Amino acid sequence: MTSSFLVRAAALAAILCAGAILVSYQPTSAASAPRPLASFDPQVKPLVARMTLDEKIGQMTQPEQDGLEDPADLENLSIGSVLSGGSSDPKEGNSLKAWTDLYDRIQEHSRKARLKIPILYGIDAVHGHNNVLNAVIFPHDIGLGCTRNAALVERAARVTAEEVRATGIQWVFAPCVTVPQDIRWGRTYEGYSEDPQVVSELGEAAVRGFQGSDLANPLSVVACAKHFVGDGGTAHGSSKAGNDQGDTRVDEATLRRIHLQGYLTAVKAGVGTIMPSYSSWNGVKCSASKRLLTEILKQELGFQGFLISDYNAIDQIDPDYKKAIGISINAGMDMGMVPKRYREFIADLKALVKEGTVPMARIDDAVTRILRVKFAMGMMDPKRSPMADRGLWKSFGSAEHRVVAREAVRQSVVLLKNRNKVLPISKSAARIHVAGKSADDIGNQCGGWTIDWQGKSGNVTTGGTTLLAAMRNAVSKNTRVTYSADGTGGAGATLGVAVIGEKPYAEGMGDRADLALAPEDVAVVNNLKSAGIPVVVVLFSGRPLILGGVLDKVEGFVAAWLPGTEGAGLTDVLFGDYQPTGKLSYAWPRNMAQVALHRGDKGYDPLFPLGYGLGY
Ligand code: BGC
Ligand code: BGC
């Protein structure tokens, strides 16, 4: 009674001060531990007792919104959750309205089901609400890792939560608490650091930011720590792509020391959901491992939320789909992310229960865990509408939100070289010649997981500022900022700025055996140099790249990672309004032979060590 009153009072208070949330937002201290999810069991158990087997299995099933064979399946099969994966757009496009309408359209169906249990809608908001046009796009986690600033990461997650809630969606597949050990992996940028300590601090902060001090706050979303466990430790060559979804060949002590660390703190912070990895540990798929999912995560770590399988990950366990489902659910998987095969998943799981392969107790445990989260979020409160709160639209992509992202950008930038104090650039320099394919390209600046799953070069979103545009805004009115894509035309300029790097990619599509700078990028630098002017390189990349001779040729070098939409955070540093403070969250190798070496390994001698970063 009292506690549910308090929850409601807190929710009301949150609604009342939604407008002022950022100004008043205080990072939650580690001391204010969230309410344990299992404390909702007195409300959950009576509901579970009223549910049919079909209704229980429906709660455990998560189709893709664009994989639904018939929208009425949502009520007819009592579906508990829906997702939008990468590039799973509303058919009306990616506007804020289209996304909110899609959410409401889906949620409407839950009201037609017998028990009217609201649908939990999940999405990859991994650097802001990145599927939606005009959302604030934050630096990818590799950049946030270089800030080493937990309070800032928490604020960024809070802003993202608010933008996600503006579309009605209540669940983010973030933070990624991977600890990448091999930068050839295409998901390196999704990890804060190769250092487990940094990952565990920042991952915990992100969970607190997403979930707030109370999941029932209408501005909170439930977080998902992923991908459990060892996704960043796969041996090169152990998968088709190279590293992605491969096999992590380490002993248990190493798995715990490196890859488990982020889960210890995420669970402590009360993370509501965790996503088991596609990858394997010593040949066993994580999504099939009872040792990992049940014994370590649920029993030993005391995780009380629920496990969501990765996209079609169950299919990879065994060619016999029904057998694969049985193995995964019995290992401890609670909800299947089954984009298109959801009808089959439901029928097979039901048959597995009927024939006794999956015990009823396992089903009840899974449903209990899922409903704990729904109760904790206030979703089961009949007085609370499950529909989107369009009142939140006013802060979506707002100037206040962009300020937080700009702060994240400037703290993420790492200054690697500054010969003759070429930086900061004077705002009254006569002429700055900017060059390179990424100088005026918001798509390259944001990277993968931006509007599209893979991201894309070009004008992918609205509301952002490219680095070139930010430079033009920053300089004095007597300063000329000129631009050429290939770096020609620099003669007579005070300075050349080459903005180069990787084009967008996501997941295995970004696995690379060779991380050398692209020849076209090297040519840009050479062209600027041949004009006889000092040159600064700004590199947009999802990981350290092999610089070859380029570093020696130039006066200044800045690693800007994948900073997102707020290009002004970069100019804050380039023009000296902000002293660079970013520190490398991955060591920077000299050549490919050094790529998978770490502190303590023989021959470890990186170009720049972990933690490196200059100031002015
Ligand atoms: C990725 C996850 C993501 C999921 C849903 C998978 O391919 O591995 O990180 O959350 O898809 O889009
Ligand atoms: C991604 C999904 C994406 C799908 C496309 C998955 O691996 O995570 O989000 O929509 O592939 O095939």
Side-chain angles (χ1 to χ4, degrees), residues 49 66 130 133 154 283 300 380 392 396 431 434 481 485 514 520 546 553 599:
D66 69 6
N130 46 60
L133 289 170
E154 184 176 336
E300 184 189 318
M380 305 302 293
L392 296 174
F396 189 91
R431 181 183 153 214
V434 183
V481 176
D514 182 1
E520 59 183 10
I546 304 304
K553 275 184 213 161
R599 274 174 303 194

Side-chain angles (χ1 to χ4, degrees), residues 83-86 124 173 187 190 226-227 275 278 310-311 337 449 453 507:
L83 94 144
S84 275
D124 294 289
F173 304 130
R187 307 195 77 158
E190 295 188 57
K226 68 188 190 184
H227 309 82
M275 187 185 292
Y278 283 122
D310 204 342
Y311 201 97
M337 187 187 285
W449 295 107
W453 177 38
E507 301 188 42

Side-chain angles (χ1 to χ4, degrees), residues 441-445 447-450 452 454-460 504-505:
D441 191 312
I442 202 82
N444 288 356
Q445 196 171 299
W449 295 107
T450 310
D452 277 305
Q454 290 294 318
K456 217 193 276 183
S457 296
N459 286 330
V460 296
Y505 55 78

Side-chain angles (χ1 to χ4, degrees), residues 355-518:
E355 63 202 37
T357 310
V358 172
M360 198 59 206
R362 180 69 272 279
I363 299 291
D364 285 343
D365 174 53
V367 177
T368 298
R369 289 168 175 275
I370 292 162
L371 292 176
R372 279 173 184 164
V373 170
K374 292 190 178 184
F375 273 101
M377 296 190 78
M379 288 171 66
M380 305 302 293
D381 181 344
K383 290 197 236 20
R384 244 168 99 165
S385 166
M387 309 313 275
D389 174 4
R390 292 172 193 238
L392 296 174
W393 282 8
K394 63 180 182 302
S395 63
F396 189 91
S398 64
E400 291 94 312
H401 287 183
R402 292 186 190 279
V403 165
V404 179
R406 177 175 178 171
E407 182 69 38
V409 172
R410 60 193 201 173
Q411 294 195 27
S412 69
V413 165
V414 182
L415 178 61
L416 293 175
K417 179 174 182 180
N418 196 15
R419 193 197 291 157
N420 304 330
K421 292 200 182 300
V422 65
L423 290 170
I425 308 168
S426 164
K427 287 185 187 172
S428 50
R431 181 183 153 214
I432 303 169
H433 190 59
V434 183
K437 63 174 187 273
S438 297
D440 199 22
D441 191 312
I442 202 82
N444 288 356
Q445 196 171 299
C446 290
W449 295 107
T450 310
I451 308 300
D452 277 305
W453 177 38
Q454 290 294 318
K456 217 193 276 183
S457 296
N459 286 330
V460 296
T461 191
T462 54
T465 309
T466 64
L467 175 51
L468 183 64
M471 288 181 84
R472 292 197 159 125
N473 292 339
V475 294
S476 75
K477 63 176 189 311
N478 296 323
T479 300
R480 281 173 63 215
V481 176
T482 51
Y483 171 74
S484 76
D486 66 1
T488 54
T494 321
L495 177 81
V497 179
V499 190
I500 57 177
E502 293 188 305
K503 289 183 186 159
Y505 55 78
E507 301 188 42
M509 250 72 127
D511 280 23
R512 300 263 186 284
D514 182 1
L515 295 172
L517 282 177

Side-chain angles (χ1 to χ4, degrees), residues 149-172:
N149 186 338
L152 180 56
V153 168
E154 184 176 336
R155 272 168 73 213
R158 198 69 201 151
V159 167
T160 300
E162 192 173 324
E163 298 212 347
V164 169
R165 285 316 289 249
T167 55
I169 296 174
Q170 329 91 325
W171 183 11
V172 295

Side-chain angles (χ1 to χ4, degrees), residues 200-421:
S200 55
E201 279 168 26
L202 300 187
E204 177 182 9
V207 171
R208 287 201 307 260
F210 286 131
Q211 301 195 352
S213 52
D214 184 352
L215 270 171
N217 184 318
L219 299 179
S220 293
V221 293
V222 62
C224 180
K226 68 188 190 184
H227 309 82
F228 185 79
V229 58
D231 53 348
T234 56
H236 185 68
S238 66
S239 77
K240 239 193 290 160
N243 291 76
D244 194 44
Q245 306 189 8
D247 188 19
T248 297
R249 295 164 184 162
V250 298
D251 62 18
E252 188 167 321
T254 308
L255 190 80
R256 285 174 182 268
R257 181 173 50 82
I258 298 174
H259 302 284
L260 191 67
Q261 294 304 311
Y263 297 93
L264 303 179
T265 51
V267 169
K268 195 181 92 196
V271 72
T273 75
I274 292 178
M275 187 185 292
S277 183
Y278 283 122
S279 58
S280 303
W281 176 38
N282 294 328
V284 178
K285 288 269 177 201
C286 295
S287 302
S289 169
K290 190 167 190 174
R291 169 92 187 113
L292 293 174
L293 307 190
T294 297
E295 291 175 22
I296 295 185
L297 191 49
K298 291 181 176 176
Q299 292 168 355
E300 184 189 318
L301 268 57
F303 172 60
Q304 298 177 351
F306 71 88
L307 298 178
I308 170 74
S309 69
D310 204 342
Y311 201 97
N312 286 328
I314 293 174
D315 309 44
Q316 298 185 10
I317 294 172
D318 194 281
D320 176 345
Y321 191 45
K322 185 175 162 199
K323 190 172 162 201
I325 295 166
I327 293 171
S328 192
I329 301 295
N330 280 338
M333 196 71 78
D334 300 303
M335 183 186 281
M337 187 187 285
V338 284
K340 294 200 165 70
R341 297 180 89 172
Y342 64 96
R343 285 184 178 175
E344 221 180 322
F345 175 83
I346 288 170
D348 286 346
L349 185 51
K350 189 171 178 184
L352 288 161
V353 175
K354 294 276 186 215
E355 63 202 37
T357 310
V358 172
M360 198 59 206
R362 180 69 272 279
I363 299 291
D364 285 343
D365 174 53
V367 177
T368 298
R369 289 168 175 275
I370 292 162
L371 292 176
R372 279 173 184 164
V373 170
K374 292 190 178 184
F375 273 101
M377 296 190 78
M379 288 171 66
M380 305 302 293
D381 181 344
K383 290 197 236 20
R384 244 168 99 165
S385 166
M387 309 313 275
D389 174 4
R390 292 172 193 238
L392 296 174
W393 282 8
K394 63 180 182 302
S395 63
F396 189 91
S398 64
E400 291 94 312
H401 287 183
R402 292 186 190 279
V403 165
V404 179
R406 177 175 178 171
E407 182 69 38
V409 172
R410 60 193 201 173
Q411 294 195 27
S412 69
V413 165
V414 182
L415 178 61
L416 293 175
K417 179 174 182 180
N418 196 15
R419 193 197 291 157
N420 304 330
K421 292 200 182 300

